[in-house]
Amino acid sequence: MESEIQHLDRVFLAIGPLTIYWYGVIIAVGAMIGLWIAQRESIRRGLPKETFMDIVLYAIPIAILSARAYYVIFQWGYYSQHPGEIIKIWEGGLAIHGGLIGAFITGYVFAKKRGLSFWQLADIATPSIILAQAIGRWGNFMNQEAHGGEVTRSFLEGLHLPKFIIDQMYIEGVYYHPTFLYESLWSLLGFVVLISLRKVNLKRGEIFLSYLIWYSIGRFFVEGLRTDSLMLTESLRMAQFISIVLIVIAVVAWWYRRSKGYAKVRYLDQENRQGKTY
């Protein structure tokens, strides 16, 4: 059986010295789809149509740099001995939490500079972000990384996974948990939930807080299965610690904003010009 396994090629396109990897292509596709969705929603809410295009011009490069910096910092024992590999992001090693920190700081500064509401921008952006995360995890799949512990082929077949996923989870003679898939599916479901919440009379910022809670719950449990976790201590995984912190912050912020009785805000629906509660 193992002799028949054909792994997927990590290279998307190679032209002379130029090599483009599936990892980068998949992440780029996720970002573009997310941007398209965010642009449509921002226009529907009466924001200038170029708002999110302007944001991503800053947010995406900063998020990539912060995601890489976050990863390198917690793997410094290795990268201090191999500094030439720090720039090799096409081989993987982008920490989502680092990217989120960079993206949201960028969004906050952008909102202040433009006189916009950060909470509104975050509400619009987070469904796109979690969808991009769901798509981006398939870049980890192509790189055969971000997997969990050892399992058997029969276990994977029992999950009714397609053969190409099962084969790709066969790495150096061992089958592994497809944790990339678990997180991708959780994030995809989260996208559906967050989009659905747009129809509910939530207060400004509560879709963003819902995203923090939803993603962090899934990440906490998936991280417990992974074998490549960044560690805060010998026994504490960094992503699990950050997930707990984000859940607490989101719940406290939700309670605080509700207890202060912030008024529900109204936005302009571009299609029917009627005020709607958001």
Side-chain angles (χ1 to χ4, degrees), residues 34-48:
L35 173 60
W36 178 73
I37 293 172
Q39 282 184 307
R40 285 174 57 89
E41 182 64 11
S42 66
I43 292 172
R44 191 171 75 89
R45 296 192 187 188
L47 295 175

Side-chain angles (χ1 to χ4, degrees), residues 12 20-36 60 64 94 128 131-133 135-139:
F12 171 75
I20 301 174
Y21 292 87
W22 274 109
Y23 182 83
V25 171
I26 291 171
I27 289 177
V29 168
M32 288 188 292
I33 294 174
L35 173 60
W36 178 73
I60 288 182
I64 292 174
L94 296 178
S128 294
L131 178 60
Q133 289 174 298
I135 296 171
R137 277 303 178 197
W138 289 84

Side-chain angles (χ1 to χ4, degrees), residues 215-274:
Y215 176 69
S216 296
I217 290 173
R219 182 60 186 272
F220 179 88
F221 287 104
V222 171
E223 194 68 23
L225 297 173
R226 287 178 57 170
T227 60
D228 61 344
S229 299
L230 300 176
M231 305 300 292
L232 181 61
T233 68
E234 290 185 1
S235 59
L236 181 61
R237 299 168 191 258
M238 188 65 187
Q240 290 184 313
F241 172 74
I242 295 295
S243 294
I244 293 171
V245 170
L246 290 177
I247 291 170
V248 171
I249 289 174
V251 170
V252 171
W254 196 311
W255 170 83
Y256 177 79
R257 290 166 60 81
R258 285 274 177 170
S259 67
K260 292 298 182 181
Y262 289 124
K264 292 175 182 172
V265 298
R266 302 177 73 81
Y267 66 90
L268 186 63
D269 188 311
Q270 295 285 10
E271 295 180 355
N272 57 29
R273 299 292 178 176
Q274 295 177 351

Side-chain angles (χ1 to χ4, degrees), residues 55-108:
I55 291 175
V56 300
L57 288 177
Y58 299 101
I60 288 182
I62 291 175
I64 292 174
L65 288 174
S66 60
R68 184 59 170 177
Y70 185 104
Y71 184 85
V72 169
I73 288 170
F74 285 97
Q75 295 279 23
W76 186 243
Y78 174 82
Y79 286 105
S80 63
Q81 301 299 316
H82 305 84
E85 296 190 15
I86 292 177
I87 64 172
K88 295 182 179 180
I89 61 173
W90 54 87
E91 294 183 355
L94 296 178
I96 287 179
H97 281 133
L100 292 177
I101 291 170
F104 286 126
I105 290 176
T106 303
Y108 180 81

Side-chain angles (χ1 to χ4, degrees), residues 166-238:
I166 295 175
D167 288 351
Q168 195 73 353
M169 288 296 97
Y170 184 70
I171 306 168
E172 297 181 353
V174 178
Y175 289 99
Y176 291 99
H177 265 295
T179 46
F180 85 92
L181 179 63
Y182 305 156
E183 187 172 329
S184 178
L185 293 176
W186 178 258
S187 296
L188 184 61
L189 180 58
F191 169 74
V192 174
V193 170
L194 295 181
I195 288 293
S196 299
L197 288 178
R198 287 178 173 173
K199 302 176 182 179
V200 180
N201 290 336
L202 293 179
K203 296 181 181 181
R204 183 173 282 179
E206 290 183 347
I207 291 180
F208 169 60
L209 297 177
S210 298
Y211 160 78
L212 293 181
I213 294 170
W214 180 276
Y215 176 69
S216 296
I217 290 173
R219 182 60 186 272
F220 179 88
F221 287 104
V222 171
E223 194 68 23
L225 297 173
R226 287 178 57 170
T227 60
D228 61 344
S229 299
L230 300 176
M231 305 300 292
L232 181 61
T233 68
E234 290 185 1
S235 59
L236 181 61
R237 299 168 191 258
M238 188 65 187

